[in-house]
Amino acid sequence: QLQLVESGGGLVQPGGSLRLSCAASGRTMDYLAIGWFRQVPGKEREGVSCISSSGLSRKYADSVKGRFTISRDNAKNTMYLQMNSLRPEDTAVYYCAAGRNPQCPPIETIHFGSWGQGTQVTVSS
């Protein structure tokens, strides 16, 4: 049973940066794509990014492309989301989740499982 734990959230000013981490335990995540999602109260959870099992393929939502970078370190069983040029509309609880295959599916919740508890990101002056 794969378990994921997010960390690294916090309060940051507009234009600032944060790096989120997602640590896996229970089984290796080497063979699975991993996705990042975010959710604000009253709205559905939306896909942010995905990285393939090898780390060679990446996918981003249009709203974050050019500002966020996804990466992974399979030796450490950890993946990351580097968030730069943050905007107030990036404020949300951020979650990581595992896909079912090595390659990234569409970044939609139906394709992912083993959700973490989430970490709060607040962008405000």
Side-chain angles (χ1 to χ4, degrees):
Q1 182 86 352
L2 177 63
Q3 299 183 40
L4 302 175
V5 178
E6 304 92 339
S7 63
L11 175 65
V12 64
Q13 295 185 353
S17 298
L18 285 173
R19 189 179 75 157
L20 306 183
S21 298
C22 176
S25 63
R27 68 167 77 180
T28 181
M29 68 176 190
D30 290 1
Y31 63 98
L32 297 175
I34 300 294
W36 282 99
F37 296 77
R38 65 187 182 186
Q39 187 169 28
V40 299
K43 300 188 68 176
E44 67 182 88
R45 193 168 297 182
E46 66 173 344
V48 174
S49 187
C50 181
I51 187 166
S52 65
S53 63
S54 68
L56 297 178
S57 297
R58 299 170 177 84
K59 184 180 294 185
Y60 299 95
D62 288 343
S63 59
V64 307
K65 188 174 180 62
R67 300 187 298 119
F68 292 8
T69 303
I70 191 170
S71 62
R72 67 192 296 163
D73 186 340
N74 286 346
K76 296 181 178 179
N77 224 22
T78 303
M79 58 96 74
Y80 307 93
L81 185 68
Q82 179 66 46
M83 309 164 66
N84 298 329
S85 302
L86 283 163
R87 306 165 179 170
E89 53 263 43
D90 295 318
T91 296
V93 177
Y94 283 72
Y95 301 86
C96 60
R100 296 188 293 271
N101 297 293
Q103 297 301 313
C104 284
I107 321 173
E108 300 170 352
T109 59
I110 191 173
H111 301 296
F112 293 82
S114 299
W115 297 92
Q117 293 275 31
T119 185
Q120 176 72 49
V121 172
T122 302
V123 185
S124 177
S125 58

